[in-house]
Amino acid sequence: MADKQSVSTTKAPGAIGPYSQAIITGNLLFASGQLPINPETGKMPEGSIGIRARQVFENLRAIVEEAGGTLDDVVKTTVFLTDLQDFKEMNEVYATYFSAPFPARSAVQVAALPLGSDIEMEAIVSLK
C-alpha cells in the first residue's frame, strides 16, 4: 500500500462527507472535487457561473498551496457542469487561472452535483 498523507486547510471548504480535501502519495496530490463554497461563509456565491467558477478555482488554489504547490503544478483537471451551456463562461475563467502548458482536462455534463451546485472541479497536481 502506498504511503498517503491527507491535506487540509481552512482556506477551502471542509469535506462534506468521509473524504479528504486532498491526498498526497509520492509526488502527486489528488484534490477532491471542489464546490463553489466560500469557506468563510459556508455558502455558494450567487450570480453567474463565472462567479462560482472563480470560487472553485480559489478553493483549489488554497488546497494546492497548503500542500506546497501552485496552480502551475496542476497536470489534470476534471470539470463537472450541470449544464454544458455554461462551458464557455467557465472556460474563460479557467484561462485566467492556468497558463501554458495548460493542464490536461475533461469537462462533462452531469445530472446533479452535491448541495445543488452547478459546477465542481477535481485536480491532480505534480508536487516538486
Side-chain angles (χ1 to χ4, degrees):
M1 178 178 223
D3 290 333
K4 61 182 184 177
Q5 172 188 348
S6 178
V7 175
S8 181
T9 178
T10 58
K11 295 178 181 176
I16 58 173
Y19 60 89
S20 299
Q21 284 177 324
I23 290 289
I24 296 173
T25 184
N27 72 327
L28 294 177
L29 171 82
F30 295 86
S32 293
Q34 294 302 301
L35 297 173
I37 297 172
N38 180 317
E40 294 176 12
T41 66
K43 299 187 184 298
M44 287 187 234
E46 295 187 19
S48 72
I49 188 70
I51 291 169
R52 285 184 296 288
R54 279 183 197 83
Q55 186 65 61
V56 165
F57 295 120
E58 289 301 320
N59 294 345
L60 177 63
R61 182 196 322 254
I63 291 168
V64 172
E65 288 179 353
E66 181 69 21
T70 71
L71 290 182
D72 288 338
D73 300 319
V74 174
V75 295
K76 170 72 167 84
T77 62
T78 305
V79 180
F80 304 94
L81 298 165
T82 57
D83 187 348
L84 277 179
Q85 295 295 318
D86 291 333
F87 179 83
K88 181 180 179 201
E89 188 174 350
M90 177 282 300
N91 202 47
E92 289 169 357
V93 175
Y94 189 99
T96 68
Y97 282 87
F98 297 105
S99 56
F102 294 99
R105 179 180 72 188
S106 301
V108 296
Q109 180 171 314
V110 295
L113 291 166
L115 304 177
S117 180
D118 53 3
I119 185 171
E120 181 175 6
M121 186 176 74
E122 64 185 22
I124 301 172
V125 183
S126 179
L127 300 172
K128 295 176 173 64

